[in-house]
């Protein structure tokens, strides 16, 4: 097991789902964007680093039929599967490190990442990530990224993060991606702090 994988396994084995700083009962901003960008319920959607978030539950409840969730932590995936019960069988579950992952030819209409990319402090890992996005999102498909914003924290879960503004985040992706919009918002953590997030969404040309 890599250090990064053990870190996240330990987090999910020792912390309650609703006590981690990134917890939100629903990912409202993400859901709003998916509804706008991906109205077809048979759209192939992947949630990168889905953890124990209720994003997949909410998409299933809205009738989406082609959902994939990837996370480096087996514990997080197992927890989410258990919460979904029989509905878990309607999701494609993937355990692995996104910087090394192979979707084996599966492609997506929408790629969603909330609070994963900002952990990639190494340029080579960021390049591996963006290359995978380029190869995995269909032409005309969309990418929705949420990272800490320019005034966001410097660390999350004890790990260093990279903070982004729109220009810097879009710059990681390059010309194949047409920026459609961005906004910052404040996330209220369970302990009462606020964290600035940047949402950025683009279309694959
Ligand atoms: C801050 S949490 C965000 C969880 C979820 N997206 C949310 O918004 O509630 C980061 C998640 O990314 C996962 N993760 C971290 N590094 C990863 C990597 N290299 N590949 C895949 N998942 C990773 C962690 O296990 C964790 O579930």
């Amino acid at each position: 097991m890599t250090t990064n994988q053990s870190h996240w396994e330990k987090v999910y084995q020792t912390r309650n789902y609703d006590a981690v700083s990134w917890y939100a009962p629903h990912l409202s901003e993400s859901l709003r964007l998916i509804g706008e960008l991906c109205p077809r319920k048979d759209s192939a959607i992947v949630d990168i680093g889905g953890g124990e978030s209720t994003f997949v539950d909410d998409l299933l409840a809205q009738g989406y039929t082609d959902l994939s969730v990837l996370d480096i932590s087996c514990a997080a995936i197992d927890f989410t599967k258990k919460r979904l019960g029989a509905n878990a069988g309607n999701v494609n579950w993937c355990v692995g490190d996104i910087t090394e992952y192979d979707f084996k030819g599966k492609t997506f209409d929408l790629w969603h990442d909330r609070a994963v990319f900002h952990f990639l402090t190494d340029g080579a890992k960021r390049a591996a990530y963006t290359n995978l996005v380029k190869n995995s999102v269909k032409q005309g498909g969309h990418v929705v990224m949420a990272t800490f914003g320019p005034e966001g924290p410097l660390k999350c879960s004890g790990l260093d993060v990279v903070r982004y503004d729109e220009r810097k985040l879009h710059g990681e992706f390059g010309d194949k991606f047409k920026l459609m919009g961005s906004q910052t918002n404040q996330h209220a953590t369970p302990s009462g702090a606020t964290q600035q997030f940047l949402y950025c969404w683009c279309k694959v040309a």
Side-chain angles (χ1 to χ4, degrees), residues 60-127:
L60 281 169
Q62 289 180 18
Y64 285 94
T65 55
D66 188 350
L67 300 174
S68 302
V69 177
L70 176 138
D71 204 280
I72 201 168
S73 162
C74 235
I77 293 284
D78 286 347
F79 179 91
T80 308
K81 275 179 161 174
K82 206 165 163 194
R83 185 181 63 220
L84 282 168
N87 252 344
N90 298 321
V91 177
N92 172 35
W93 302 99
C94 316
V95 176
D97 184 329
I98 192 57
T99 63
E100 296 169 0
Y101 205 74
D102 180 357
F103 283 108
K104 306 247 185 280
K106 167 95 178 149
T107 54
F108 303 99
D109 296 294
L110 189 132
W111 177 286
H112 172 262
D113 171 337
R114 175 178 182 263
V116 186
F117 186 75
H118 63 199
F119 288 109
L120 304 179
T121 53
D122 175 57
K125 291 203 184 274
R126 288 198 296 276

Side-chain angles (χ1 to χ4, degrees), residues 27 30-31 34 45 47 53-60 112:
L27 300 190
S30 300
L31 291 165
I34 274 54
I45 298 177
D47 186 21
S53 97
T54 56
F55 185 58
V56 65
D57 310 43
D58 290 334
L59 292 177
L60 281 169
H112 172 262

